[in-house]
Amino acid sequence: FCPSFLIKVFPSEKGWPFPKFYGACGRAIVMEDAGLPLDSFLSHSWLERAELALAVIKIAKQLTSNLDHWGLYITEIALDNFAVSNGTVRLEDASHIIVVDLLQSNIKGKC
């Protein structure tokens, strides 16, 4: 899938952890500023880093176990794929995601 397609199909307005998609033209896509990269928080307090880690775990759970019965599996996990704005963590790089229809597969979307 094209990253902009994923962000349109799984919009932030419906609770998905992606930045808001504004539009696309050719190879350029326009999205909201998702904030600072997650790796810019490495020197912050242990408590703040733990809260951000918990937010990333919640994103992983949401992507694999949701009411829409879609499994979104990140194939390249890196700190710079996530961004933080006002304490909210979002997945800003959707280029390495596999989408699975959990109703049509043998994969169980439970963590």
Side-chain angles (χ1 to χ4, degrees), residues 1-32:
F1 288 110
C2 173
S4 64
F5 177 76
L6 279 174
I7 294 171
K8 286 190 285 187
V9 172
F10 302 103
S12 62
E13 293 84 4
K14 291 188 178 180
W16 291 95
F18 299 109
K20 182 177 172 133
F21 177 81
Y22 291 112
C25 181
R27 293 184 180 197
I29 61 174
V30 179
M31 299 184 312
E32 77 175 310

Side-chain angles (χ1 to χ4, degrees), residues 28-68:
I29 61 174
V30 179
M31 299 184 312
E32 77 175 310
D33 180 12
L36 296 172
L38 189 58
D39 59 0
S40 66
F41 291 84
L42 292 175
S43 63
H44 286 229
S45 72
W46 184 90
L47 184 59
E48 188 172 356
R49 288 180 290 142
E51 289 172 350
L52 294 173
L54 182 59
V56 170
I57 291 169
K58 287 180 180 179
I59 287 173
K61 183 167 176 65
Q62 177 188 9
L63 293 178
T64 58
S65 180
N66 54 71
L67 297 175
D68 295 325

Side-chain angles (χ1 to χ4, degrees), residues 78-104:
L79 292 177
D80 59 351
N81 289 344
F82 298 89
V84 181
S85 178
N86 298 324
T88 302
V89 178
R90 293 198 178 133
L91 184 58
E92 68 174 353
D93 183 0
S95 62
H96 299 283
I97 293 179
I98 295 173
V99 179
V100 176
D101 181 350
L102 296 175
L103 295 175
Q104 298 295 321

